[in-house]
């Protein structure tokens, strides 16, 4: 697919997830405050919680491996530091494996506008054979706690598609 940069306003209390296939085997660097980056256009009043998840047996997000908190109260490039989640690993990413990036605002009702990749110009994907969405590449978890990243995402029943919301341009740095 072809990606186009755009912006998205985010004010949903449910965690959002999108898939990513990593071309290399790597260990995420948890030693630096510059371990990841998000570009903020319009600041919020709080933080964004960000997580990296492995993939479950049906292709959806599974267990939280790494987590970070991004202070989104200012605009521009915001850096954050990754930490290993309870039971997680910094070296769970293998070449060609699908991982999931999860994010949610820490405070109820908080809103932020971030730079993103336009889902209309991305290849579509499916978590289940009947669930295909060409406009947005996000799913959200409405069965868990709001304003928190779940330790494990439970497949079926609690996942829905976030039409019209584009994935944020988040990053993570491999260990040198």
């Amino acid at each position: 697919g072809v990606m186009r940069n755009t912006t998205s306003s985010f004010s949903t209390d449910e965690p959002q997830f999108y898939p990513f296939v990593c071309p290399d085997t790597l260990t995420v660097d948890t030693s630096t405050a510059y371990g990841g980056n998000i570009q903020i256009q319009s600041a919020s009043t709080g933080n964004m919680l960000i997580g990296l998840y492995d993939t479950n047996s049906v292709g959806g997000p599974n267990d939280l491996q790494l987590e970070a908190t991004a202070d989104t109260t200012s605009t521009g490039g915001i850096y954050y530091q990754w930490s290993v989640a309870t039971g997680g690993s910094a070296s769970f990413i293998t070449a060609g494996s699908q991982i999931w990036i999860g994010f949610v605002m820490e405070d109820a009702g908080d809103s932020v506008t971030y730079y993103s990749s336009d889902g209309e110009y991305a290849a579509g994907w499916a978590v289940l054979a009947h669930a295909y969405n060409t406009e947005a590449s996000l799913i959200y978890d409405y069965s868990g706690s709001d304003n928190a990243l779940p330790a494990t995402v439970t497949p079926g029943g609690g996942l829905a598609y976030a039409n019209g919301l584009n994935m944020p341009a988040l990053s993570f740095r491999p260990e040198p």
Side-chain angles (χ1 to χ4, degrees):
V2 176
M3 298 302 277
R4 176 183 73 166
N5 290 333
T6 187
T7 59
S8 286
S9 293
F10 180 63
S11 60
T12 305
D13 293 336
E14 293 87 7
Q16 310 287 308
F17 303 91
Y18 65 94
F20 173 76
V21 176
C22 191
D24 297 313
T25 296
L26 58 89
T27 298
V28 175
D29 191 347
T30 58
S31 68
T32 176
Y34 299 101
N37 179 273
I38 183 171
Q39 297 289 321
I40 301 298
Q41 182 193 39
S42 177
S44 71
T45 59
N47 297 321
M48 179 183 279
L49 306 177
I50 304 165
L52 297 180
Y53 289 78
D54 59 6
T55 300
N56 65 27
S57 62
V58 295
N62 192 34
D63 293 324
L64 179 63
Q65 300 294 315
L66 292 153
E67 56 193 349
T69 300
D71 178 353
T72 55
T73 59
S74 59
T75 59
I78 307 299
Y79 291 96
Y80 46 86
Q81 184 167 358
W82 291 105
S83 61
V84 177
T86 302
S89 171
S91 55
F92 77 102
I93 302 172
T94 57
S97 66
Q98 176 176 280
I99 64 172
W100 287 82
I101 298 174
F103 64 100
V104 68
M105 296 308 291
E106 188 173 46
D107 298 318
D110 202 358
S111 178
V112 68
T113 301
Y114 53 76
Y115 289 95
S116 60
S117 301
D118 192 334
E120 292 179 11
Y121 289 82
W125 57 274
V127 176
L128 303 171
H130 66 278
Y132 184 78
N133 185 348
T134 58
E135 182 176 346
S137 296
L138 295 174
I139 61 172
Y140 68 94
D141 181 2
Y142 62 87
S143 64
S145 299
D146 287 350
N147 304 104
L149 291 172
T152 299
V153 180
T154 305
L159 298 179
Y161 289 87
N163 288 314
L165 184 64
N166 294 306
M167 53 192 154
L170 296 166
S171 68
F172 56 90
R173 177 187 305 232
E175 282 186 344

